Amino acid sequence: MQDHKKQNLLITTLTLVAMVALIASYFSPIWWVSLTAPNYPKDAFPDGIRIHFHFDGVYNGCRAAGTGTRMSGEILQKDLDHTVERYNPVLDAQKNVNKDAEGLDCVHEMNTINHYVGMFPISTGAPVEKPLAKFFFGFFVVMLLGFIAPEGRKRLMVLAAGFAAVAVWMVVHQFVLGHMETHIAAYVSEAGTFFKEPDKIKVWGDNVRTITTGVIVGLIVAMAIVVAGVAKFRGFSLLLALVPALMPVFFVIEYAGWLWFFGHNMHPWGAFTVKPFMPTVFGEGKVAQFSTYSYPYWGYALLLVAFGCLMMALLLRRRQMRNS
């Protein structure tokens, strides 16, 4: 009995650590991609044209030129607008004119580079997955809470209550508050940034609406299946930890799939015609004068922490079930 309690405590601890790592990963950069070329000198672009992939979108990964570099001493890095006065080499010599300067918006820069070969903006990728990612994470968190809950009625109550909360949150957020329509409008606008085909892009927006609705319904059905499966089959409860543990695999499959899509669905209006290709998923690649670097970032390490903890917890629970 004492050994059983110790195992339960260890399983709970491992699962909670995994849950924290999983939640933290949602707010973290999971993967980074960088382009370098002679026309982007390292002094001005320390990391090349770099972007960070998160579960909910793609973000800028560029920094301002480092202090002490040649570029930082020769150029004004701060964005200039009508409020910025002309630089005076005498009066401003001792001023930190680059205070609060930010790096180049490298998402926009990479979109500009890519559109020359007919690629659509990066943010048009995963138009269903990105806005629904937080609800999938909510789904996984409820599964993990159910995994550490005692067997029987208490576990079913945790799952039912948690899934109901996520389902209500999802429906209200997407339909009642209109966030799905807002997202579709932004998607249609972004898709037409470089290639103006409103009729074609409108169909894409309609497809996003249909698929998003289908995924929401499918996720609610999946919730019901999980509750029914746990109620009917004892071993089904192991899936409560196994499915969230596989997030590192899910991300790489999703990431690679969308890279393939972008490389094989280029618009014919691009300034340069290139054959369909598979962009670099992991490692280094070369396209024309550009070198491409694609590697996991620290958010992916959080996913691996969650994977390791959940697999250990799952094996302990499986041994418990066999012994009992």
Side-chain angles (χ1 to χ4, degrees), residues 31-323:
W31 213 271
W32 65 268
V33 170
S34 176
L35 296 180
T36 62
N39 47 315
Y40 294 107
K42 194 171 183 61
D43 269 353
F45 305 94
D47 302 304
I49 305 303
R50 176 165 168 152
I51 57 176
H52 292 161
F53 288 86
H54 292 234
F55 280 106
D56 65 340
V58 183
Y59 295 87
N60 185 23
C62 284
R63 301 174 294 164
T67 303
T69 61
R70 180 177 62 84
M71 284 291 181
S72 67
E74 292 181 355
I75 63 175
L76 290 174
Q77 299 185 71
K78 187 175 180 180
D79 288 339
L80 303 181
D81 57 26
H82 66 282
T83 65
V84 179
E85 297 181 1
R86 183 185 295 273
Y87 178 77
N88 186 312
V90 177
L91 299 178
D92 294 336
Q94 302 303 318
K95 291 183 180 179
N96 182 8
V97 293
N98 287 324
K99 184 180 180 182
D100 300 326
E102 297 180 358
L104 175 73
D105 181 356
C106 283
V107 176
H108 175 74
E109 187 71 13
M110 192 169 287
N111 282 335
T112 302
I113 295 169
N114 289 343
H115 99 278
Y116 286 114
V117 296
M119 280 192 182
F120 287 89
I122 300 166
S123 60
T124 59
V128 174
E129 298 92 319
K130 288 183 298 185
L132 297 185
K134 52 182 168 288
F135 306 117
F136 278 97
F137 271 78
F139 176 68
F140 292 149
V141 167
V142 173
M143 291 179 76
L144 294 179
L145 290 174
F147 182 71
I148 61 179
E151 283 190 80
R153 182 173 296 180
K154 287 185 178 180
R155 176 174 289 168
L156 293 176
M157 289 177 62
V158 168
L159 291 173
F163 286 153
V166 173
V168 170
W169 173 34
M170 180 167 55
V171 171
V172 170
H173 184 275
Q174 291 293 293
F175 298 110
V176 179
L177 299 180
H179 287 290
M180 183 174 71
E181 293 301 324
T182 301
H183 165 69
I184 292 171
Y187 167 79
V188 169
S189 175
E190 186 71 12
T193 301
F194 300 112
F195 310 114
K196 308 295 184 183
E197 293 183 291
D199 293 337
K200 178 180 178 180
I201 293 173
K202 181 183 180 300
V203 174
W204 292 1
D206 293 338
N207 290 340
V208 170
R209 181 182 295 105
T210 301
I211 296 171
T212 300
T213 303
V215 171
I216 290 172
V217 172
L219 187 56
I220 294 174
V221 171
M223 294 175 184
I225 291 174
V226 169
V227 174
V230 170
K232 192 170 182 62
F233 306 104
R234 190 175 183 224
F236 198 93
S237 63
L238 296 177
L239 292 178
L240 298 177
L242 179 61
V243 174
L246 295 177
M247 277 298 290
V249 179
F250 297 153
F251 178 85
V252 171
I253 293 173
E254 178 83 4
Y255 175 63
W258 277 104
L259 286 183
W260 182 93
F261 176 86
F262 277 108
H264 288 76
N265 291 274
M266 291 176 287
H267 201 285
W269 293 354
F272 304 100
T273 301
V274 298
K275 294 180 179 179
F277 69 101
M278 179 64 191
T280 304
V281 176
F282 179 85
E284 302 178 15
K286 186 81 173 177
V287 179
Q289 78 270 31
F290 293 98
S291 295
T292 307
Y293 303 87
S294 177
Y295 290 100
Y297 207 19
W298 58 272
Y300 196 79
L302 291 173
L303 293 179
L304 294 178
V305 169
F307 172 80
C309 290
L310 288 176
M311 292 308 294
M312 286 189 287
L314 190 150
L315 292 173
L316 288 171
R317 177 60 54 79
R318 184 167 175 265
R319 188 172 69 178
Q320 271 188 346
M321 294 170 67
R322 281 186 170 183
N323 292 339

